[in-house]
């Protein structure tokens, strides 16, 4: 809804719709924790919905800028979206390696607040998007640096290395045991 409002130039309505969606986002996580109904499936769907709604919101802003500013300005929200997806990917990949990768100057909540501010004051929308692009890029770099050192031997990798080492040792012991207990063949 916010994307459609933005495309049609009703930025204030778009901002209110973003705020309503953000309130829902704040409440759904707290509600699932309180009622103990959280699940991996729910977390997966929630994360995916977050990415899709963020993309729609920025596409709507891009369309608005293409119509009101210039077609080239539509690239700015798409650039913010691209770098934002890198941040999400970095966190997901780090977590799959057993490394925590949260934090940074411009996480999702900060991006939503900045977008709302830009929708509230349309004259500031383009400068805010430029600042978002810079800060989101810095956040992507921060996450990369945060993961780089621990990823040298991440817990998942270390566990796999130890598992391989243990298997090799078990095979060696088994071979040695077979050799030791082997009965010599009799020649007839």
């Amino acid at each position: 809804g916010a994307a459609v409002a933005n495309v049609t130039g009703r930025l204030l309505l778009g901002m209110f719709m973003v705020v309503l969606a953000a309130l829902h986002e704040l409440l759904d996580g707290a509600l699932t924790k309180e009622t103990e109904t959280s699940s991996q499936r729910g977390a997966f769907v929630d994360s995916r919905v977050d990415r899709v709604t963020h993309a729609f919101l920025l596409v709507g802003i891009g369309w608005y800028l293409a119509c009101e500013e210039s077609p080239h300005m539509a690239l700015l929200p798409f650039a913010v979206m691209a770098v934002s997806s890198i941040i999400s990917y970095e966190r997901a990949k780090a977590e799959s390696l057993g490394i925590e990768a949260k934090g940074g100057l411009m996480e999702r909540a900060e991006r939503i607040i900045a977008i709302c501010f830009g929708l509230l004051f349309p004259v500031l929308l383009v400068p805010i998007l430029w600042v978002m692009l810079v800060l989101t890029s810095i956040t992507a770099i921060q996450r990369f640096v945060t993961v780089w050192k621990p990823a040298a031997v991440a817990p998942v990798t270390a566990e796999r290395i130890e598992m391989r080492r243990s298997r090799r040792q078990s095979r060696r012991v088994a071979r040695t045991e077979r050799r030791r207990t082997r009965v010599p063949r009799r020649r007839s």
Side-chain angles (χ1 to χ4, degrees):
V4 171
N6 293 334
V7 165
T8 59
R10 294 180 284 182
L11 301 183
L12 193 58
L13 176 62
M15 192 236 11
F16 283 121
M17 295 182 103
V18 170
V19 169
L20 285 175
L23 288 175
H24 174 269
E25 180 66 26
L26 287 172
L27 297 176
D28 75 339
L31 183 63
T32 58
K33 286 178 187 172
E34 185 65 32
T35 60
E36 296 180 6
T37 56
S38 62
S39 67
Q40 288 181 328
R41 183 179 289 167
F44 174 74
V45 169
D46 183 56
S47 179
R48 182 174 176 167
V49 168
D50 288 349
R51 299 296 140 325
V52 170
T53 56
H54 193 66
F56 275 128
L57 178 61
L58 289 167
V59 166
I61 292 171
W63 192 321
Y64 167 78
L65 291 175
C67 294
E68 297 298 319
E69 298 282 330
S70 81
H72 297 4
M73 269 302 142
L75 295 175
L76 184 55
F78 285 99
V80 170
M81 183 173 32
V83 179
S84 298
S85 69
I86 291 169
I87 291 171
S88 298
Y89 174 78
E90 286 173 329
R91 179 174 176 183
K93 185 61 181 178
E95 288 176 355
S96 78
L97 296 172
I99 301 168
E100 188 171 310
K102 293 181 179 179
L105 291 173
M106 188 61 72
E107 291 187 290
R108 185 172 180 274
E110 288 83 4
R111 289 192 303 269
I112 295 297
I113 291 168
I115 288 171
C116 285
F117 196 73
L119 295 175
L120 186 60
F121 302 104
V123 70
L124 297 176
L125 183 58
V126 170
I128 286 172
L129 287 169
W130 279 111
V131 170
M132 282 178 66
L133 181 59
V134 169
L135 294 179
T136 304
S137 298
I138 291 170
T139 301
I141 293 166
Q142 286 174 319
R143 292 242 174 126
F144 182 86
V145 169
T146 299
V147 173
W148 181 255
K149 194 169 186 177
V153 179
V156 171
T157 307
E159 186 178 298
R160 287 181 184 155
I161 290 169
E162 184 55 38
M163 189 170 47
R164 286 184 200 130
R165 191 176 295 139
S166 176
R167 274 194 232 140
R168 276 190 232 120
Q169 182 63 29
S170 296
R171 282 188 227 127
R172 281 188 205 117
V173 168
R175 275 194 305 263
T176 304
E177 187 63 26
R178 281 193 305 267
R179 287 181 194 140
R180 192 176 64 76
T181 60
R182 188 179 297 165
V183 176
R185 285 185 166 173
R186 290 186 185 186
R187 296 192 183 231
S188 346

